[in-house]
Short mmCIF file of all heavy atoms in Angstrom, two decimals:
data_model
loop_
_atom_site.label_atom_id
_atom_site.label_comp_id
_atom_site.label_asym_id
_atom_site.label_seq_id
_atom_site.Cartn_x
_atom_site.Cartn_y
_atom_site.Cartn_z
N ASN A 501 -52.43 39.43 6.79
CA ASN A 501 -51.29 39.63 7.65
C ASN A 501 -50.46 38.38 7.55
O ASN A 501 -49.17 38.43 7.50
CB ASN A 501 -51.67 39.86 9.09
CG ASN A 501 -50.53 39.93 10.02
OD1 ASN A 501 -49.74 40.80 10.10
ND2 ASN A 501 -50.37 38.73 10.75
N ARG A 502 -51.06 37.22 7.60
CA ARG A 502 -50.36 35.93 7.56
C ARG A 502 -49.49 35.91 6.28
O ARG A 502 -48.26 35.53 6.40
CB ARG A 502 -51.39 34.82 7.63
CG ARG A 502 -50.86 33.48 7.07
CD ARG A 502 -49.77 32.90 7.86
NE ARG A 502 -49.43 31.60 7.44
CZ ARG A 502 -48.60 30.72 7.98
NH1 ARG A 502 -47.90 31.21 9.15
NH2 ARG A 502 -48.30 29.63 7.59
N THR A 503 -50.14 36.09 5.19
CA THR A 503 -49.34 36.02 3.95
C THR A 503 -48.10 36.94 3.96
O THR A 503 -47.05 36.62 3.59
CB THR A 503 -50.36 36.32 2.77
OG1 THR A 503 -51.35 35.35 2.79
CG2 THR A 503 -49.51 36.21 1.47
N ARG A 504 -48.44 38.26 4.39
CA ARG A 504 -47.28 39.18 4.42
C ARG A 504 -46.15 38.82 5.37
O ARG A 504 -45.03 38.96 5.16
CB ARG A 504 -47.81 40.51 4.74
CG ARG A 504 -48.62 41.15 3.62
CD ARG A 504 -49.12 42.50 3.96
NE ARG A 504 -47.94 43.55 3.92
CZ ARG A 504 -48.04 44.75 4.46
NH1 ARG A 504 -49.16 45.12 5.00
NH2 ARG A 504 -46.97 45.55 4.40
N MET A 505 -46.62 38.31 6.58
CA MET A 505 -45.55 37.89 7.59
C MET A 505 -44.80 36.71 7.12
O MET A 505 -43.56 36.71 7.35
CB MET A 505 -46.37 37.61 8.86
CG MET A 505 -45.63 37.79 10.20
SD MET A 505 -44.58 39.22 10.31
CE MET A 505 -45.69 40.38 11.09
N MET A 506 -45.45 35.79 6.48
CA MET A 506 -44.75 34.59 5.98
C MET A 506 -43.67 35.06 4.95
O MET A 506 -42.52 34.69 4.97
CB MET A 506 -45.78 33.71 5.32
CG MET A 506 -45.28 32.29 5.02
SD MET A 506 -45.12 31.30 6.46
CE MET A 506 -44.24 29.89 5.73
N GLU A 507 -44.14 35.95 4.07
CA GLU A 507 -43.20 36.56 3.07
C GLU A 507 -42.18 37.30 3.61
O GLU A 507 -40.98 37.27 3.14
CB GLU A 507 -44.03 37.32 2.05
CG GLU A 507 -44.87 36.30 1.14
CD GLU A 507 -45.91 37.05 0.34
OE1 GLU A 507 -46.05 38.31 0.43
OE2 GLU A 507 -46.61 36.32 -0.43
N LYS A 508 -42.41 38.11 4.59
CA LYS A 508 -41.42 38.95 5.32
C LYS A 508 -40.39 38.03 5.90
O LYS A 508 -39.13 38.29 5.66
CB LYS A 508 -42.03 39.81 6.45
CG LYS A 508 -41.04 40.58 7.18
CD LYS A 508 -41.47 40.98 8.57
CE LYS A 508 -40.82 40.15 9.69
NZ LYS A 508 -39.45 40.36 9.95
N ARG A 509 -40.76 37.07 6.50
CA ARG A 509 -39.78 36.18 7.18
C ARG A 509 -38.88 35.45 6.13
O ARG A 509 -37.67 35.51 6.26
CB ARG A 509 -40.46 35.03 8.02
CG ARG A 509 -40.89 35.51 9.41
CD ARG A 509 -41.29 34.35 10.19
NE ARG A 509 -42.50 33.67 9.73
CZ ARG A 509 -43.71 33.88 10.08
NH1 ARG A 509 -44.01 34.80 10.94
NH2 ARG A 509 -44.66 33.17 9.55
N MET A 510 -39.53 34.90 5.14
CA MET A 510 -38.82 34.18 4.08
C MET A 510 -37.91 35.08 3.30
O MET A 510 -36.83 34.62 2.78
CB MET A 510 -39.74 33.32 3.20
CG MET A 510 -40.54 32.24 4.00
SD MET A 510 -39.57 31.15 5.04
CE MET A 510 -39.04 30.00 3.75
N ARG A 511 -38.26 36.22 3.18
CA ARG A 511 -37.47 37.27 2.37
C ARG A 511 -36.11 37.45 2.94
O ARG A 511 -35.12 37.79 2.21
CB ARG A 511 -38.21 38.64 2.39
CG ARG A 511 -38.01 39.43 1.14
CD ARG A 511 -39.21 40.29 0.77
NE ARG A 511 -39.55 41.09 1.93
CZ ARG A 511 -40.85 41.27 2.24
NH1 ARG A 511 -41.90 40.67 1.59
NH2 ARG A 511 -41.13 42.03 3.24
N LYS A 512 -35.99 37.10 4.19
CA LYS A 512 -34.62 37.26 4.81
C LYS A 512 -33.62 36.32 4.12
O LYS A 512 -32.42 36.75 4.03
CB LYS A 512 -34.65 36.91 6.28
CG LYS A 512 -35.48 37.91 7.08
CD LYS A 512 -35.42 37.78 8.55
CE LYS A 512 -36.03 36.57 9.04
NZ LYS A 512 -36.07 36.47 10.62
N LEU A 513 -34.05 35.22 3.66
CA LEU A 513 -33.16 34.33 2.87
C LEU A 513 -32.66 34.85 1.63
O LEU A 513 -31.45 34.81 1.29
CB LEU A 513 -33.85 32.99 2.74
CG LEU A 513 -34.09 32.13 3.92
CD1 LEU A 513 -34.80 30.89 3.54
CD2 LEU A 513 -32.87 31.90 4.70
N GLU A 514 -33.66 35.57 0.95
CA GLU A 514 -33.22 36.19 -0.32
C GLU A 514 -32.21 37.29 -0.02
O GLU A 514 -31.24 37.56 -0.76
CB GLU A 514 -34.42 36.72 -1.10
CG GLU A 514 -35.26 35.69 -1.73
CD GLU A 514 -36.73 36.11 -1.76
OE1 GLU A 514 -37.02 37.22 -2.12
OE2 GLU A 514 -37.57 35.23 -1.53
N THR A 515 -32.51 38.03 1.10
CA THR A 515 -31.51 39.20 1.44
C THR A 515 -30.15 38.61 1.66
O THR A 515 -29.19 39.23 1.22
CB THR A 515 -32.15 39.89 2.66
OG1 THR A 515 -33.39 40.29 2.29
CG2 THR A 515 -31.19 41.05 3.08
N ALA A 516 -30.17 37.52 2.41
CA ALA A 516 -28.80 36.92 2.69
C ALA A 516 -28.04 36.55 1.41
O ALA A 516 -26.83 36.84 1.27
CB ALA A 516 -28.95 35.69 3.53
N LEU A 517 -28.77 36.06 0.40
CA LEU A 517 -28.13 35.69 -0.87
C LEU A 517 -27.76 36.97 -1.51
O LEU A 517 -26.61 37.13 -2.12
CB LEU A 517 -29.07 34.89 -1.69
CG LEU A 517 -29.28 33.51 -1.20
CD1 LEU A 517 -30.28 32.70 -2.11
CD2 LEU A 517 -27.94 32.59 -1.14
N ALA A 518 -28.64 37.90 -1.59
CA ALA A 518 -28.36 39.24 -2.29
C ALA A 518 -27.26 39.97 -1.76
O ALA A 518 -26.44 40.55 -2.42
CB ALA A 518 -29.69 40.08 -2.38
N CYS A 519 -27.13 39.87 -0.36
CA CYS A 519 -25.99 40.55 0.28
C CYS A 519 -24.64 39.90 0.06
O CYS A 519 -23.63 40.33 0.53
CB CYS A 519 -26.18 40.60 1.74
SG CYS A 519 -27.50 41.68 2.32
N GLY A 520 -24.71 38.72 -0.58
CA GLY A 520 -23.46 37.99 -0.73
C GLY A 520 -22.98 37.36 0.57
O GLY A 520 -21.86 37.06 0.73
N ASP A 521 -23.86 37.16 1.53
CA ASP A 521 -23.48 36.65 2.83
C ASP A 521 -23.35 35.11 2.71
O ASP A 521 -22.70 34.53 3.63
CB ASP A 521 -24.52 36.95 3.95
CG ASP A 521 -24.15 38.16 4.68
OD1 ASP A 521 -22.95 38.47 4.71
OD2 ASP A 521 -25.02 38.74 5.31
N MET A 522 -23.84 34.46 1.74
CA MET A 522 -23.64 33.08 1.48
C MET A 522 -22.66 32.73 0.42
O MET A 522 -22.83 33.27 -0.68
CB MET A 522 -24.91 32.35 1.19
CG MET A 522 -26.00 32.59 2.23
SD MET A 522 -25.60 32.34 4.01
CE MET A 522 -25.31 30.63 4.00
N ARG A 523 -21.69 31.97 0.71
CA ARG A 523 -20.54 31.67 -0.23
C ARG A 523 -20.82 30.46 -1.06
O ARG A 523 -21.30 29.51 -0.66
CB ARG A 523 -19.29 31.44 0.49
CG ARG A 523 -18.96 32.59 1.38
CD ARG A 523 -17.67 32.23 2.22
NE ARG A 523 -17.50 33.18 3.24
CZ ARG A 523 -16.80 33.02 4.29
NH1 ARG A 523 -16.22 31.79 4.56
NH2 ARG A 523 -16.70 33.95 5.24
N GLY A 524 -20.45 30.61 -2.35
CA GLY A 524 -20.60 29.42 -3.21
C GLY A 524 -19.47 28.42 -2.82
O GLY A 524 -18.71 28.68 -1.93
N PRO A 525 -19.41 27.30 -3.57
CA PRO A 525 -18.51 26.29 -3.25
C PRO A 525 -17.11 26.76 -3.46
O PRO A 525 -16.83 27.63 -4.29
CB PRO A 525 -18.92 25.17 -4.18
CG PRO A 525 -19.53 25.78 -5.30
CD PRO A 525 -20.33 27.00 -4.75
N GLU A 526 -16.19 26.21 -2.70
CA GLU A 526 -14.82 26.57 -2.78
C GLU A 526 -14.13 25.62 -3.68
O GLU A 526 -14.24 24.37 -3.63
CB GLU A 526 -14.20 26.48 -1.31
CG GLU A 526 -12.89 27.32 -1.15
CD GLU A 526 -12.41 27.00 0.29
OE1 GLU A 526 -13.13 27.47 1.19
OE2 GLU A 526 -11.37 26.40 0.50
N LEU A 527 -13.26 26.13 -4.58
CA LEU A 527 -12.52 25.26 -5.47
C LEU A 527 -11.11 25.09 -5.06
O LEU A 527 -10.38 26.09 -4.70
CB LEU A 527 -12.49 25.81 -6.92
CG LEU A 527 -11.88 24.94 -7.95
CD1 LEU A 527 -12.86 23.81 -8.32
CD2 LEU A 527 -11.53 25.69 -9.26
N TYR A 528 -10.74 23.85 -4.95
CA TYR A 528 -9.31 23.59 -4.70
C TYR A 528 -8.66 22.89 -5.81
O TYR A 528 -9.23 22.00 -6.39
CB TYR A 528 -9.17 22.72 -3.41
CG TYR A 528 -7.75 22.22 -3.15
CD1 TYR A 528 -6.82 23.13 -2.69
CD2 TYR A 528 -7.43 20.94 -3.53
CE1 TYR A 528 -5.44 22.70 -2.51
CE2 TYR A 528 -6.05 20.52 -3.29
CZ TYR A 528 -5.08 21.43 -2.85
OH TYR A 528 -3.78 21.03 -2.75
N GLY A 529 -7.42 23.28 -6.16
CA GLY A 529 -6.66 22.65 -7.28
C GLY A 529 -6.91 23.42 -8.57
O GLY A 529 -7.39 24.53 -8.49
N PRO A 530 -6.51 22.85 -9.67
CA PRO A 530 -6.52 23.52 -10.92
C PRO A 530 -7.89 23.99 -11.28
O PRO A 530 -8.90 23.25 -10.97
CB PRO A 530 -5.95 22.52 -11.86
CG PRO A 530 -6.05 21.18 -11.28
CD PRO A 530 -5.99 21.39 -9.77
N ALA A 531 -8.02 25.10 -11.96
CA ALA A 531 -9.30 25.54 -12.34
C ALA A 531 -10.00 24.63 -13.30
O ALA A 531 -11.25 24.45 -13.25
CB ALA A 531 -9.17 26.96 -12.98
N GLN A 532 -9.26 23.99 -14.12
CA GLN A 532 -9.83 22.99 -14.99
C GLN A 532 -9.32 21.66 -14.74
O GLN A 532 -8.06 21.39 -14.54
CB GLN A 532 -9.56 23.31 -16.52
CG GLN A 532 -10.57 24.31 -17.05
CD GLN A 532 -9.95 25.15 -18.11
OE1 GLN A 532 -9.33 24.58 -18.99
NE2 GLN A 532 -10.18 26.45 -18.02
N ALA A 533 -10.18 20.62 -14.70
CA ALA A 533 -9.72 19.36 -14.39
C ALA A 533 -10.65 18.26 -15.06
O ALA A 533 -11.85 18.61 -15.33
CB ALA A 533 -9.65 19.07 -12.99
N ASP A 534 -10.14 17.16 -15.36
CA ASP A 534 -10.87 16.13 -15.91
C ASP A 534 -11.93 15.57 -15.00
O ASP A 534 -13.10 15.11 -15.31
CB ASP A 534 -9.96 15.01 -16.34
CG ASP A 534 -10.63 13.91 -17.03
OD1 ASP A 534 -11.53 14.14 -17.88
OD2 ASP A 534 -10.40 12.70 -16.67
N LEU A 535 -11.61 15.62 -13.66
CA LEU A 535 -12.34 14.99 -12.66
C LEU A 535 -12.51 15.92 -11.50
O LEU A 535 -11.52 16.55 -11.03
CB LEU A 535 -11.55 13.82 -12.12
CG LEU A 535 -12.29 12.79 -11.31
CD1 LEU A 535 -13.25 11.91 -12.18
CD2 LEU A 535 -11.29 11.81 -10.61
N THR A 536 -13.78 16.07 -11.03
CA THR A 536 -13.91 17.00 -9.91
C THR A 536 -14.64 16.24 -8.81
O THR A 536 -15.66 15.67 -8.94
CB THR A 536 -14.89 18.18 -10.29
OG1 THR A 536 -14.29 18.97 -11.33
CG2 THR A 536 -15.16 19.07 -9.08
N LEU A 537 -13.95 16.21 -7.68
CA LEU A 537 -14.50 15.70 -6.45
C LEU A 537 -15.40 16.73 -5.84
O LEU A 537 -15.04 17.92 -5.84
CB LEU A 537 -13.51 15.20 -5.49
CG LEU A 537 -12.38 14.14 -5.96
CD1 LEU A 537 -11.56 13.72 -4.80
CD2 LEU A 537 -13.20 12.92 -6.51
#
Side-chain angles (χ1 to χ4, degrees):
Chain A
N501 174 76
R502 157 66 173 185
T503 299
R504 289 184 70 193
M505 202 44 90
M506 193 75 189
E507 289 166 355
K508 179 201 101 71
R509 280 191 298 265
M510 297 306 280
R511 211 149 54 224
K512 295 191 286 185
L513 293 178
E514 288 151 41
T515 302
L517 290 176
C519 288
D521 265 339
M522 305 310 293
R523 303 177 190 156
E526 198 181 294
L527 186 75
Y528 172 74
Q532 275 151 47
D534 180 46
L535 194 74
T536 300
L537 301 183

